[in-house]
Amino acid sequence: MKFLILVMLLCYSFAFSSGDTTIHTNNWAVLVCTSRFWFNYRHMANTLSLYRTVKRLGIPDERIILMLADDMACNARNEYPAQVFNNENHKLNLYGDNVEVDYRGYEVTVENFLRVLTGRHENAVPRSKRLLSDEGSHILLYMTGHGGDEFLKFQDAEELQSHDLADAVKQMKEKRRFKELMIMVDTCQAATLFNQLQSPGVLAIGSSLKGENSYSHHLDSDVGVSVVDRFTYYTLAFFERLNIYDNASLNSLFRSYDPKLLMSTAYYRTDLYQPHLAEVPVTNFFGSVMETIHTDSVYKAFSSKTSNNKINSEMPVNQLSEHDELQKANIPNDELKTEKQKCPYTQMRVDLHEKLEKFENVDTVVNLGIAVMVFVVMISSSLL
Amino acid sequence: MASEKRDKEEEEVKTDDGSPKIKPRPIVQLGIFLVAHSPVFSVVFSAAGVLALLILPLLAKNTYISENALMPGSARSMLSNRDVSDGSKLVKDIKNYWLNHEGQGVEVQKLIGKYMSDMGAEVYYQKFHPEGNQFHPLHFFSGPDSYTLLDNVSCASYGVNVAGIIRAPRGDGKESIVLVTPYDFINGGDYEALSLGITSTLFSLLARVTWLSKDIIWLVTDSRYGDYRPVAAWLTEYHSPSFKVSDLLKCGELNTADTFRRAGTVAAALVLKVDGRSERFEDTLSIYAEASNGQMPNLDLINVVNYLAVHRQGFYVKVEKVVSLLSSSWLKIIGEIFEAVGKLARTLNPDWNFGIPAADYLEGSATLASSLYSQALGIPTGPHGAFRDYQVDAITLKISPRFPPDSKTRQHDFFLRGARLLEGTIRSVNNLLEKFHQSFFLYLLTSPSKFISVGVYMIAFALLVAPLPMVAASLYIEGCKALTKSTDNPTENLKSWKWLDAAKQVFALHLLGFIVTLLPYFICQVPGQHSPRNRSIMWGTTSSSLLLITFAIIPGCSPFSSRHHGTNWAVLKSVTISAAFIGLCLMSIINFATAEIGALLLVPTCLMAQPIKPALRSRRIKSLLGAFCSMVLLTIGFPVMFFAISKGLFGEAVVGLSLGGEFWTWLESLWAWKSATYLYIGMVHLPCWLLCLCILFHPS
């Protein structure tokens, strides 16, 4: 009987550790541009724009796998050598000094993409090209290119099918490579790419439904090509108004897509994703905002706690200031909690300090002290 | 299980009968049915073929840019007034030169070369010998570099081309785009100078842009020796360098040895010509695309130019058309009938939208006829033809401005628009990653923005030639029956050898046709100067004597031989029709337009051919009518006769012996341009025509 209970407990603890209760450890992003050729300039611009955004929101370069199937910046047809723009105003060069492309040109293949996701690399592949996520990772997977019904074209030569993607995600889940995965796809008929997904913890969003095209946003008549796709353009427009401290929810992102502006219907698949979208901040995927617990001792174990921060499910834009106040209001709360966990020595000193502070006339205390000391000295000398 | 058993039983029953009745497959049944009713079907199919040709203008589709990479008009033009003033200055300098100097020397070439090098291009001069196309029977289809540079060339006449190359600043140097402007360096017309102005404007821009991925070559050709020859000479030198130092290089003051420079593979070429004043209010842009043997450049190239010219620069774009057809009343009536049918169809079902107005039909047919004619002739319609020989897509753009050439005020705007059109086209081609391949190569144009693809126009041809195998089969069966009746000798009853006599005759006449085709080469070798008329007479007499010799040597061939030796006419006709069918089908692969026009002539002639003697003897109206028809068709089918008739249709009446001369000149031009049409006339049409003649006078 006891044994049985023990086994049950063990099982329970396993299930518990591999389940949702694993705490969020880090954020990763895999950004893929799958098409080559000069006239697909916009796909590279899409990917680089998103790269810039997630980097701005806090995911460091070593946790971003950037795959670009072609090099538009150095294309001879580019009127602005070594620069890539996603807007005809040419204000923002996306191909600045600190862009680290992990897979470029013909390295971007279905095989390499699946290897990155599943982590089955050859030994020689450097760490910088691997997705070294763990069971607490939140991963953003962004893909753009030319797609169709349940496939995405890679390099004008091969294609990734929805089955391949679902299989890779399933493998990732089995190998505990992620806690939550968000797949964002900007292609024609993007929604069809998610049809085969089964793994829990996966949130998917696509730019268009089956039978719909995803369109480019505008043409840059200096460069002579379209520079950004509609879905990505409005995604970026949403994120441009956010900073790392904002708590805009995924719901507000999803609601920001207007089918009239997109000229297609954005599609979300949420049935595999448990948390309520209104309570999940976008920075869960698009940034790297960790819940930080201050500890004095490195040894003291910390427990996983859910954040008390309220998630603003509405559009945050107009309420930024209000939101900041909300955050400030939360701060004292945190301090109170942390105080209880301080170590004994500091606790004693703090107590002493507090008691000292309670004395009103310090001078009398000092004089009294001196008198007592003189008295003690006299007694001790008389005893000797 | 039960049904299987029954099947087996049935089979056994059949086999027990002793005469196994195996039911033939449906396709065999269909074949037998068609062959059995071949007269009806041949009439139906031929009529359908002609009708299909007539409704082709209705089936024309709007052109569209098929290649994604082209993106015409997506980039803003970067031409500035500075570029235009560069172009204007060149034109002014050339005009000043003509005011002060008389033509000779290479001063103008040097002037243009100086302008090019000032813009930052690599400049070189190329000398070429004006002699080019010489007929040689073995050089058909043998490639463009078939003529050799003569060693003992005189310095008396040679042309000098100027070429400038702009290297793409960040390109890989593997590809290039060629701009050609023909210019007569001795006489120098005012309009021609405008084409130099436009290209110079463009070149000035291209020398400073950063977006080039292909090198740009500007070739100013010496059009004293025709438009085609200088371009062909330059291309030959470009693609097959000769390492032998020719005497030509040392001629004159300009030493051009070792200066020829190249860029990468030519991706596309544009030939720009400015001539004549536009009759319309707008500037007119004519597009010429047909190269040798009916080869066309990729449709995308025409689409890009047409799109930019119409939607960006406001040119009136046109392609060649047969003007005389526009006023023909019968075509107008057909157009009106089609219009009425189209309207009727739309009232029945609004989705049936194939009707077009009669005026559009007329325009479309006239353009289609011209397209067919130019392709069938197999002679390139401009210098772009030289590029097609190297599988380079090229077209000639002929711009007719609406102002006189000395109008300074209009010139600025004209240069700007012309150069913008070329800039847009070059930027599109520059965007290409591969050769043009996405759109059609086999098409007929019915307007600059409408085309008929190969899948549609082949139907007309297929319907037209479909009766030939049917009739051949039915005649063969008929002829075999007749032979079996006439001869009781069992050794001659071997069915499969009956056609051998007829085949011998057909082969002999085809051999004769081959020899007649080669004859002009030998006639050209005859010493002394002969007029085309004399040469045609020589040719005619030699050919007819050869024909008589053939008849004399092979007794079975002659229509005048005794009945005993002669073959059965039905079998002869069957083999003739088979030969015609094979010839037409082969020709349709080489040059569709020739095959189509040839089929229109040859198919009725072959089908109607029958011995005239029994018809006269029977004195029935039906057979007399048939005999008359076949005689008329044979008269029209004679190549010289057809040439005269078509000349008459185009409004040039030729009579008498001068016809022979004209015909000779026409044929000479065909072989000089290596047109497969010449081979078709000599080796398919003429033998089949002779065989039909044999059948007509068959002594049966």
Side-chain angles (χ1 to χ4, degrees):
Chain A
M1 193 62 193
K2 269 183 185 174
F3 179 74
L4 220 138
I5 290 169
L6 202 75
V7 168
M8 277 175 72
L9 266 171
L10 260 172
C11 291
Y12 182 67
S13 65
F14 260 107
F16 205 73
S17 63
S18 64
D20 296 333
T21 48
T22 325
I23 54 149
H24 173 195
T25 52
N26 52 26
N27 269 86
W28 284 81
V30 180
L31 312 174
V32 195
C33 155
T34 64
S35 43
R36 59 187 306 108
F37 303 143
W38 171 242
F39 59 93
N40 291 323
Y41 182 99
R42 63 183 188 278
H43 293 147
M44 180 170 167
N46 285 345
T47 317
L48 281 174
S49 317
L50 221 80
Y51 170 77
R52 181 184 160 274
T53 301
V54 295
K55 222 165 131 179
R56 187 171 64 82
L57 292 179
I59 306 186
D61 243 334
E62 68 257 26
R63 290 200 188 141
I64 302 177
I65 309 288
L66 181 59
M67 304 175 99
L68 298 177
D70 202 349
D71 189 357
M72 299 307 167
C74 299
N75 195 307
R77 296 164 185 87
N78 192 350
E79 204 190 320
Y80 301 92
Q83 298 180 67
V84 176
F85 298 104
N86 68 352
N87 200 308
E88 62 179 341
N89 61 21
H90 299 152
K91 278 184 183 155
L92 180 66
N93 174 22
L94 298 168
Y95 211 68
D97 294 332
N98 50 357
V99 174
E100 288 178 19
V101 187
D102 297 296
Y103 290 82
R104 62 169 73 238
Y106 289 110
E107 283 181 338
V108 182
T109 55
V110 173
E111 182 190 334
N112 277 345
F113 173 71
L114 293 178
R115 280 184 187 281
V116 165
L117 288 190
T118 53
R120 295 160 181 259
H121 290 284
E122 286 178 23
N123 290 335
V125 174
R127 281 173 68 83
S128 65
K129 288 180 140 190
R130 296 174 185 233
L131 179 69
L132 298 166
S133 56
D134 52 49
E135 58 185 318
S137 299
H138 285 187
I139 302 179
L140 168 72
L141 171 58
Y142 173 84
M143 292 190 281
T144 180
H146 290 286
D149 193 358
E150 302 213 8
F151 73 88
L152 171 62
K153 197 166 79 169
F154 266 69
Q155 293 277 6
D156 206 41
E158 48 181 357
E159 52 193 39
L160 173 84
Q161 296 201 350
S162 57
H163 286 90
D164 303 333
L165 182 67
D167 183 56
V169 170
K170 206 165 186 177
Q171 281 189 53
M172 288 170 81
K173 189 77 205 171
E174 290 293 320
K175 295 167 97 175
R176 292 191 208 148
R177 286 172 65 75
F178 68 86
K179 177 169 179 266
E180 288 174 14
L181 170 67
M182 175 163 179
I183 307 178
M184 186 179 238
V185 178
D186 187 354
T187 70
C188 295
Q189 313 199 38
T192 57
L193 206 61
F194 311 137
N195 281 356
Q196 311 298 333
L197 290 174
Q198 289 172 337
S199 315
V202 179
L203 179 65
I205 173 161
S207 59
S208 49
L209 296 175
K210 183 176 177 176
E212 280 184 342
N213 286 334
S214 293
Y215 293 98
S216 63
H217 184 262
H218 67 270
L219 181 105
D220 183 337
S221 49
D222 283 339
V223 183
V225 286
S226 302
V227 285
V228 69
D229 277 318
R230 283 180 177 267
F231 178 76
T232 306
Y233 180 84
Y234 290 108
T235 310
L236 294 173
F238 178 86
F239 281 110
E240 279 308 300
R241 293 172 300 203
L242 295 186
N243 63 36
I244 198 163
Y245 302 109
D246 286 321
N247 266 336
S249 73
L250 280 176
N251 214 17
S252 62
L253 169 67
F254 290 178
R255 259 194 254 158
S256 73
Y257 297 120
D258 180 0
K260 274 182 203 151
L261 291 175
L262 288 186
M263 292 165 76
S264 63
T265 322
Y267 166 86
Y268 337 104
R269 182 161 174 198
T270 51
D271 55 337
L272 300 169
Y273 190 71
Q274 271 99 33
H276 200 247
L277 286 187
E279 288 165 9
V280 184
V282 284
T283 46
N284 243 14
F285 294 104
F286 289 88
S288 188
V289 181
M290 295 293 145
E291 188 184 332
T292 318
I293 303 154
H294 182 81
T295 57
D296 293 295
S297 151
V298 285
Y299 302 109
K300 180 155 183 180
F302 48 84
S303 57
S304 81
K305 323 172 292 160
T306 46
S307 170
N308 285 355
N309 286 8
K310 275 186 188 165
I311 303 303
N312 192 346
S313 63
E314 296 308 311
M315 275 294 290
V317 194
N318 314 328
Q319 306 157 354
L320 277 185
S321 52
E322 192 186 310
H323 199 82
D324 284 348
E325 278 162 27
L326 217 148
Q327 264 195 338
K328 278 171 200 160
N330 282 337
I331 292 168
N333 250 347
D334 283 344
E335 278 185 359
L336 277 178
K337 276 182 206 161
T338 47
E339 259 173 40
K340 285 174 186 167
Q341 296 164 346
K342 282 176 178 172
C343 79
Y345 175 68
T346 30
Q347 194 69 43
M348 192 187 80
R349 284 190 58 169
V350 168
D351 289 348
L352 197 72
H353 185 73
E354 273 177 6
K355 275 176 188 169
L356 275 175
E357 292 233 318
K358 279 176 189 167
F359 291 119
E360 281 161 6
N361 38 1
V362 183
D363 289 345
T364 44
V365 172
V366 170
N367 289 339
L368 264 169
I370 291 170
V372 169
M373 276 173 71
V374 168
F375 184 68
V376 168
V377 166
M378 279 169 67
I379 289 171
S380 60
S381 60
S382 66
L383 281 174
L384 285 169
Chain B
M1 281 297 282
S3 64
E4 265 179 37
K5 260 184 190 172
R6 207 175 343 151
D7 282 352
K8 269 183 189 173
E9 279 165 18
E10 275 176 21
E11 270 177 32
E12 278 164 16
V13 167
K14 274 178 189 168
T15 41
D16 285 345
D17 284 349
S19 57
K21 274 188 182 174
I22 299 161
K23 207 182 176 191
R25 287 159 182 269
I27 191 151
V28 178
Q29 275 182 319
L30 183 72
I32 290 168
F33 180 73
L34 285 178
V35 169
H37 300 85
S38 64
V40 181
F41 282 116
S42 57
V43 170
V44 169
F45 276 120
S46 305
V50 176
L51 189 71
L53 189 63
L54 284 176
I55 63 167
L56 278 186
L58 263 66
L59 302 174
K61 281 189 282 188
N62 284 327
T63 54
Y64 55 94
I65 310 275
S66 183
E67 170 69 83
N68 281 331
L70 284 169
M71 299 183 291
S74 63
R76 189 184 298 137
S77 172
M78 295 168 72
L79 270 176
S80 66
N81 287 330
R82 204 192 80 193
D83 301 316
V84 180
S85 66
D86 274 5
S88 307
K89 202 155 149 277
L90 173 65
V91 174
K92 209 172 83 188
D93 280 6
I94 290 174
K95 278 184 182 165
N96 283 342
Y97 176 84
W98 288 121
L99 285 180
N100 304 327
H101 298 79
E102 279 301 308
Q104 273 315 319
V106 289
E107 291 308 313
V108 184
Q109 280 100 322
K110 279 184 173 168
L111 182 70
I112 295 170
K114 189 181 162 294
Y115 265 85
M116 284 180 183
S117 59
D118 284 352
M119 289 171 194
E122 298 172 13
V123 182
Y124 63 90
Y125 305 90
Q126 186 221 0
K127 291 175 187 167
F128 67 91
H129 204 259
E131 290 295 312
N133 289 310
Q134 287 287 332
F135 176 64
H136 197 282
L138 298 177
H139 285 167
F140 273 104
F141 312 118
S142 68
D145 51 349
S146 48
Y147 76 96
T148 46
L149 208 65
L150 302 167
D151 279 337
N152 51 352
V153 284
S154 63
C155 285
S157 68
Y158 64 90
V160 179
N161 292 332
V162 197
I165 304 178
I166 294 175
R167 304 286 176 187
R170 286 175 299 126
D172 51 11
K174 284 179 186 163
E175 283 184 303
S176 59
I177 303 169
V178 180
L179 283 165
V180 182
T181 43
Y183 186 71
D184 188 339
F185 291 113
I186 298 299
N187 304 314
D190 284 339
Y191 280 116
E192 275 189 322
L194 291 184
S195 72
L196 289 181
I198 291 178
T199 325
S200 166
T201 303
L202 175 71
F203 213 59
S204 160
L205 167 78
L206 293 178
R208 62 184 170 83
V209 295
T210 52
W211 44 258
L212 282 182
S213 72
K214 299 174 174 34
D215 299 343
I216 307 290
I217 306 176
W218 176 19
L219 177 66
V220 185
T221 57
D222 197 342
S223 68
R224 258 180 303 169
Y225 304 108
D227 282 346
Y228 185 91
R229 174 62 201 146
V231 180
W234 181 82
L235 276 170
T236 312
E237 178 81 26
Y238 190 89
H239 287 100
S240 48
S242 70
F243 298 102
K244 207 163 49 176
V245 177
S246 163
D247 296 338
L248 193 62
L249 301 179
K250 288 160 196 147
C251 290
E253 48 192 307
L254 211 62
N255 188 5
T256 59
D258 295 332
T259 56
F260 196 93
R261 318 201 66 155
R262 292 172 180 82
T265 320
V266 183
L270 298 167
V271 183
L272 182 74
K273 290 166 90 174
V274 179
D275 82 339
R277 224 175 130 176
S278 174
E279 293 152 4
R280 296 176 62 96
F281 178 68
E282 310 105 310
D283 298 335
T284 310
L285 172 73
S286 313
I287 298 178
Y288 297 87
E290 289 88 1
S292 58
N293 277 323
Q295 296 181 82
M296 300 290 279
N298 195 284
L299 188 55
D300 265 345
L301 185 59
I302 297 176
N303 291 347
V304 168
V305 171
N306 181 49
Y307 174 83
L308 290 171
V310 173
H311 297 287
R312 298 293 146 124
Q313 307 305 333
F315 283 102
Y316 169 72
V317 181
K318 64 171 191 181
V319 286
E320 278 288 280
K321 58 186 140 203
V322 183
V323 184
S324 60
L325 276 182
L326 285 177
S327 51
S328 79
S329 50
W330 63 273
L331 205 61
K332 204 174 176 185
I333 292 166
I334 293 174
E336 276 160 3
I337 291 169
F338 283 142
E339 192 184 353
V341 171
K343 273 180 186 165
L344 185 72
R346 203 174 308 165
T347 53
L348 293 176
N349 185 346
D351 292 339
W352 293 344
N353 246 339
F354 57 82
I356 57 169
D360 286 5
Y361 177 81
L362 215 57
E363 286 268 326
S365 318
T367 316
L368 176 70
S370 162
S371 195
L372 260 177
Y373 172 74
S374 312
Q375 289 190 22
L377 212 54
I379 297 176
T381 48
H384 58 269
F387 286 95
R388 192 66 230 170
D389 292 342
Y390 294 89
Q391 304 305 312
V392 176
D393 296 290
I395 51 173
T396 297
L397 309 173
K398 198 183 273 178
I399 305 180
S400 311
R402 61 169 191 267
F403 59 88
D406 45 358
S407 161
K408 279 273 180 300
T409 47
R410 297 278 185 78
Q411 190 177 293
H412 182 273
D413 174 58
F414 179 68
F415 280 7
L416 199 64
R417 291 199 303 140
R420 274 185 181 159
L421 170 67
L422 290 181
E423 183 204 354
T425 314
I426 283 181
R427 193 148 189 188
S428 273
V429 177
N430 183 60
N431 281 341
L432 272 185
L433 302 139
E434 296 145 316
K435 272 188 69 152
F436 276 104
H437 66 280
Q438 199 79 21
S439 196
F440 295 91
F441 283 100
L442 302 167
Y443 55 89
L444 296 164
L445 289 174
T446 61
S447 90
S449 59
K450 283 196 160 187
F451 75 105
I452 304 159
S453 77
V454 54
V456 177
Y457 69 59
M458 275 310 257
I459 295 171
F461 177 74
L463 284 171
L464 210 53
V465 297
L468 294 182
M470 285 192 281
V471 173
S474 97
L475 278 173
Y476 178 70
I477 294 163
E478 200 179 294
C480 282
K481 274 179 193 160
L483 273 183
T484 325
K485 273 180 201 165
S486 63
T487 55
D488 298 328
N489 193 347
T491 48
E492 283 180 28
N493 259 354
L494 286 169
K495 255 191 178 180
S496 51
W497 296 105
K498 293 243 165 84
W499 51 274
L500 211 58
D501 277 341
K504 204 163 66 185
Q505 189 172 353
V506 169
F507 179 72
L509 283 177
H510 273 86
L511 198 67
L512 179 75
F514 179 66
I515 293 165
V516 169
T517 311
L518 294 186
L519 269 182
Y521 173 65
F522 299 107
I523 291 171
C524 281
Q525 305 291 319
V526 172
Q529 289 289 322
H530 300 284
S531 71
R533 200 181 71 187
N534 290 346
R535 283 188 170 160
S536 68
I537 291 168
M538 273 155 81
W539 190 21
T541 45
T542 333
S543 307
S544 22
S545 48
L546 274 173
L547 182 67
L548 288 176
I549 291 166
T550 317
F551 284 157
I553 291 172
I554 309 167
C557 282
S558 164
F560 315 110
S561 64
S562 67
R563 195 178 165 178
H564 194 70
H565 284 287
T567 50
N568 183 304
W569 73 267
V571 178
L572 177 63
K573 189 177 168 184
S574 157
V575 180
T576 305
I577 285 176
S578 310
F581 179 68
I582 293 167
L584 282 173
C585 286
L586 283 178
M587 196 58 211
S588 77
I589 296 166
I590 297 165
N591 187 347
F592 167 78
T594 310
E596 174 72 45
I597 294 175
L600 278 177
L601 272 178
L602 205 55
V603 169
T605 316
C606 282
L607 290 180
M608 294 296 288
Q610 54 178 312
I612 203 168
K613 276 181 194 167
L616 289 176
R617 254 180 268 144
S618 72
R619 288 176 190 277
R620 274 187 301 164
I621 293 178
K622 195 183 160 196
S623 42
L624 277 176
L625 204 66
F628 176 71
C629 278
S630 62
M631 281 175 77
V632 168
L633 281 171
L634 267 175
T635 320
I636 296 171
F638 185 55
V640 183
M641 202 62 188
F642 183 66
F643 175 73
I645 290 167
S646 52
K647 277 269 172 192
L649 278 180
F650 284 106
E652 303 165 40
V654 262
V655 280
L657 274 178
S658 66
L659 178 66
E662 291 238 354
F663 187 63
W664 173 272
T665 320
W666 182 69
L667 279 183
E668 204 171 39
S669 74
L670 282 189
W671 78 63
W673 291 102
K674 292 172 192 161
S675 168
T677 308
Y678 176 69
L679 289 187
Y680 168 79
I681 292 173
M683 291 166 68
V684 179
H685 190 92
L686 193 67
C688 288
W689 180 81
L690 282 173
L691 284 162
C692 288
L693 208 64
C694 286
I695 295 164
L696 195 71
F697 296 114
H698 198 276
S700 58

